[in-house]
């Protein structure tokens, strides 16, 4: 049993027949290797956290310093984002658009959306004094539209950072 699968199924059943939703779910899990996120070791999810942290340090360095200083690591706030593809804590209108872009662009879209959420909240996050305030802002006080989120998500140059990380990982495996 995986906690996120009913969320995916529910989203798909909103727009598809039972059989279509089943095959969509099976295809998504296989295509995007979600089984790695749900393994006992959570290797896939841990790899996403590493990439997330590297991207923040390059693209949002001031915020990365603030989050590190406050002890706010990616697993603390982004587990639900990555494991559920943003189905948690977002209005349906946003979820559908995020999934639309995710199905078009793949895993890297997830990083773009995460960076956009942080970027759109950066001023408030930098001013936050308490851990609880930081987490509240990151996990649910979304004061932006879906269009602002998508526009910001695609304003970042993330491919070179991720390509370098993947090349380094491959060279270590060789």
């Amino acid at each position: 049993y995986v906690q996120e699968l009913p969320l995916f199924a529910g989203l798909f059943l909103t727009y598809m027949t039972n059989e279509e939703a089943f095959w969509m779910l099976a295809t998504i899990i296989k295509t995007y290797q979600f089984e790695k996120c749900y393994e006992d070791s959570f290797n896939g999810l841990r790899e996403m956290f590493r990439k997330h942290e590297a991207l923040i340090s390059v693209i949002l360095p001031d915020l990365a310093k603030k989050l590190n200083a406050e002890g706010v690591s990616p697993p603390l706030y982004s587990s639900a984002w990555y494991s559920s593809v943003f189905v948690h804590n977002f209005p349906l209108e946003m979820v559908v658009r995020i999934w639309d872009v995710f199905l078009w662009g793949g895993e890297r879209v997830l990083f773009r959306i995460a960076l956009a959420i942080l970027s759109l909240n950066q001023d408030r996050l930098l001013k936050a004094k308490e851990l609880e305030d930081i987490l509240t802002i990151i996990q649910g006080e979304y004061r932006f539209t879906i269009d602002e989120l998508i526009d910001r998500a695609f304003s970042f140059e993330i491919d070179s950072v991720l390509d370098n990380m993947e090349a380094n990982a491959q060279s270590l495996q060789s």
Side-chain angles (χ1 to χ4, degrees), residues 81 89-91 117 121 124 134-143:
W81 291 351
N89 299 330
F90 286 86
I117 292 167
N121 286 300
R124 293 174 51 225
I134 292 170
L135 293 177
T136 298
I137 293 167
I138 292 175
Q139 295 177 331
E141 285 190 7
Y142 306 125
R143 298 179 181 176

Side-chain angles (χ1 to χ4, degrees), residues 12-50:
F12 300 154
L13 287 168
T14 304
Y15 299 97
M16 302 171 190
T17 66
N18 291 351
E19 185 175 353
E20 290 169 335
F22 169 81
W23 287 112
M24 182 70 157
L25 184 62
T27 301
I28 294 287
I29 290 170
K30 188 70 173 167
T31 302
Y32 297 103
Q33 301 178 353
F34 276 108
E35 69 273 5
K36 290 181 181 178
C37 289
Y38 308 130
E39 293 172 340
D40 289 339
S41 63
F42 298 102
N43 284 335
L45 202 50
R46 288 193 297 190
E47 180 60 24
M48 293 183 94
F49 296 147
R50 281 191 287 278

